[in-house]
Amino acid sequence: MPLVSPIPVIATTALFGIGALVMRGAGCTINDLWDRNLDPHVTRTRLRPIARGAITPFKAVAFTGFQLLTGLVVLLQFPWQCFFYATPSLLLVASYPLAKRITHYPQAVLGLTFSWGAIMGFPALGVDLLSNTPALAAAALLYSSCISWTVLYDMIYAHMDVRDDVAAGIKSIALKHRYNPKTVLSGLAGMQLALLAGAGIAAGSGPAFFVGSVGGAAMTLGWMIKKVNLDSVSDCWYWFRRGAWYTGGVISGGLFLDYLLKWMGMYVKEEDEEQVKN
């Protein structure tokens, strides 16, 4: 796969950070609009602005429009092809709040939504997924890995509301698997790691990625799953907030180190030797 120079990588990463912040906010506003009649019945969410009447639904809709417009401004900074890649994600943003009413796996829909950036990163850097089979495979595997990761940490998050969700009629993976949660969490972690490793293979990543990103993620996920007390609201909140940063940090660090080593030509000798053998 082609190696992009550092300046576009840094600029694209910054824009992705802004876009993720804006669109996550839009998703939260849409979720709060849909749940304005459910949130008052859940201890953790009863004081949200719309639920407690501090903000009217009309104002919330107007604010959502502003958030989406800001997201569009960010999107237009990327190559024009990104517009067509990004547009389908809006359907997922709008559908997540409905999922918790009809299925015990709304976290899967959340994963599909929050992980969309794994696909967007490739065309944002000028990689045509439709004509580059290794890039398409890497994007699909990375996207799937991120979905598993999102379901994992949001399952921990959902355990904070188990009792209230039963009373309010809200469905979640935490309720569905309340008697074997850590088995499910371990399975999700294994799936995430396998898919992440597959993405690295498809992208031609080096040892730094597999040791730092995959190995580091295995350590942080295993530590989190072992330590989290799913019966404690405060402990679930702690690991939901911190666990994503721990795992995301080592994955990002491994990716960045792998990129730097490639950019500095540290892997060239190994690749040349491999080509000679073939």
Side-chain angles (χ1 to χ4, degrees), residues 30-274:
I30 293 170
N31 180 74
D32 288 0
L33 278 166
W34 277 108
D35 289 352
R36 64 186 181 275
N37 295 322
L38 293 176
D39 283 345
H41 304 288
V42 179
T43 302
R44 183 181 55 81
T45 61
R46 62 187 177 84
L47 295 179
R48 286 178 174 175
I50 302 175
R52 71 173 190 267
I55 296 177
T56 64
F58 176 79
K59 290 182 178 179
V61 170
F63 182 59
T64 302
F66 171 75
Q67 289 174 301
L68 294 176
L69 182 61
T70 304
L72 177 62
V73 171
V74 175
L75 177 61
L76 294 178
Q77 309 309 305
F78 297 119
W80 64 268
Q81 296 91 337
C82 290
F83 179 84
F84 299 101
Y85 281 100
T87 301
S89 67
L90 293 176
L91 297 175
L92 294 171
V93 172
S95 63
Y96 165 67
L98 300 177
K100 68 182 73 174
R101 292 163 169 79
I102 60 176
T103 176
H104 281 97
Y105 300 100
Q107 285 75 22
V109 180
L110 184 69
L112 290 168
T113 308
F114 274 15
S115 304
W116 201 262
I119 296 175
M120 287 290 299
F122 290 82
L125 288 171
V127 179
D128 184 6
L129 292 177
L130 298 181
S131 63
N132 191 324
T133 302
L136 180 61
L141 289 163
L142 182 60
Y143 180 54
S144 301
S145 177
C146 290
I147 293 171
S148 300
W149 183 26
T150 304
V151 175
L152 189 160
Y153 71 72
D154 203 61
M155 182 177 177
I156 294 175
Y157 182 73
H159 272 83
M160 294 192 293
D161 301 329
V162 166
R163 294 178 182 176
D164 289 336
D165 284 351
V166 172
I170 299 173
K171 298 180 179 180
S172 77
I173 190 173
L175 286 174
K176 183 67 174 178
H177 298 282
R178 62 191 307 178
Y179 300 112
N180 61 339
K182 292 207 172 183
T183 300
V184 176
L185 289 173
S186 298
L188 288 167
M191 189 180 305
Q192 178 195 347
L193 294 169
L195 291 165
L196 183 62
I201 294 171
S205 299
F209 170 79
F210 292 101
V211 175
S213 297
V214 181
M219 293 178 63
T220 57
L221 289 172
W223 180 39
M224 178 176 68
I225 293 171
K226 180 181 179 180
K227 297 290 291 183
V228 63
N229 179 3
L230 296 172
D231 295 322
S232 168
V233 172
S234 61
D235 207 48
C236 288
W237 178 240
Y238 172 87
W239 285 105
F240 171 75
R241 290 181 62 195
R242 303 291 180 85
W245 283 103
Y246 295 152
T247 303
V250 295
I251 292 175
S252 299
L255 279 167
F256 183 66
L257 179 58
D258 193 64
Y259 170 79
L260 281 182
L261 291 174
K262 283 189 174 182
W263 181 253
M264 295 168 61
M266 300 297 288
Y267 291 156
V268 173
K269 184 177 179 180
E270 295 179 8
E271 293 173 357
D272 289 344
E273 291 176 352
E274 186 65 27

